[in-house]
Amino acid sequence: MNEQDLKKQIAREYYNTIYGAKINFASYDICEKMPTIISFISLTIGVLGLVYEVFNSKDLSAAMLIIGIIGLMLKTREEQKNVYKEAAINLLNISKSLEQLHSKIDLNKSNEDKEGYYTSLSAQQKLHSGISQPSPVFLASWYAHYKLFSEHNVKWMCEELNLKWTDKCPLSFRITILITLIITLFVIIYQAQNCS
């Protein structure tokens, strides 16, 4: 394996570990913050419903009920939030080691210690495969992509793996946006036809 292949393999392993860390951090954040946000929104709308008639609609009540159910579903995941955090920290440490390994290859142009690089990469891969990760919370993958590509310096990884914007934006998110736009367009056309 030449130097470029080794750097690509390190970048690929880095992507897997840093994405794993970010998805666990995202799941942790959702479990930590969403119940509080849901409670705040529910309480605020309930109080506003006492004063303003517009907050007493059936549509709003149904939406609040659905949000409450989501909050209840998150309650079971809340017990796992420390597992998410621990897995995320372990994966983050591995990703830092891989980033340092990649930098060493760039600094050591003579490639004297190529065997040592392979050994280090192999050791990090074993550590990565040994980390137990719980299944992520709903929508954590979208949040993880955001956290990875907008809050973290991964330019070297993107260059090494030749990542495009389609790799940085989850397919499920793009499909959801497309479907939302199509439905919005149909609603606008439908309303325009009914008004004329």
Side-chain angles (χ1 to χ4, degrees):
M1 184 184 291
N2 63 27
E3 177 189 331
Q4 196 55 44
D5 290 339
L6 176 62
K7 287 169 72 174
K8 266 196 189 327
Q9 193 172 354
I10 291 169
R12 208 171 293 117
E13 186 64 25
Y14 175 82
Y15 176 80
N16 291 335
T17 55
I18 195 69
Y19 179 72
K22 294 299 181 182
I23 203 162
N24 279 289
F25 275 131
S27 295
Y28 174 80
D29 279 355
I30 291 169
C31 289
E32 181 77 15
K33 296 173 184 169
M34 280 306 286
T36 305
I37 292 169
I38 288 170
S39 296
F40 174 76
I41 291 170
S42 300
L43 188 60
T44 302
I45 290 177
V47 169
L48 290 173
L50 296 172
V51 181
Y52 302 105
E53 191 65 33
V54 80
F55 288 97
N56 290 327
S57 73
K58 288 182 180 179
D59 295 337
L60 189 58
S61 296
M64 292 312 302
L65 186 59
I66 291 169
I67 290 172
I69 291 168
I70 292 169
L72 288 174
M73 290 169 61
L74 280 175
K75 205 70 173 155
T76 58
R77 292 295 186 114
E78 197 173 358
E79 298 166 3
Q80 287 185 306
K81 67 183 180 182
N82 289 330
V83 178
Y84 288 124
K85 187 176 181 182
E86 186 180 326
I89 290 169
N90 290 336
L91 289 167
L92 192 62
N93 290 334
I94 293 170
S95 70
K96 287 178 184 176
S97 298
L98 289 164
E99 189 172 8
Q100 289 172 351
L101 181 61
H102 188 272
S103 298
K104 284 180 188 175
I105 294 172
D106 280 341
L107 293 174
N108 183 9
K109 293 295 181 189
S110 62
N111 280 333
E112 296 166 2
D113 194 24
K114 196 179 268 190
E115 194 58 43
Y117 297 143
Y118 292 123
T119 306
S120 290
L121 174 60
S122 204
Q124 297 305 318
Q125 286 173 324
K126 283 180 186 171
L127 282 173
H128 180 194
S129 65
I131 294 175
S132 173
Q133 298 181 59
S135 61
V137 174
F138 181 63
L139 297 180
S141 63
W142 291 6
Y143 190 28
H145 273 83
Y146 166 76
K147 289 174 88 55
L148 176 60
F149 292 108
S150 66
E151 294 180 352
H152 204 77
N153 183 13
V154 291
K155 185 178 178 186
W156 69 270
M157 178 195 72
C158 293
E159 289 172 358
E160 202 68 62
L161 298 176
N162 198 22
L163 298 180
K164 307 282 189 257
W165 74 271
T166 52
D167 300 308
K168 298 175 184 180
C169 185
L171 178 62
S172 59
F173 179 74
R174 288 181 275 153
I175 290 171
T176 302
I177 294 297
L178 182 64
I179 290 170
T180 303
L181 289 174
I182 290 169
I183 290 171
T184 304
L185 184 64
F186 279 125
V187 167
I188 290 170
I189 291 170
Y190 178 75
Q191 287 180 344
Q193 287 176 346
N194 284 344
C195 288
S196 25

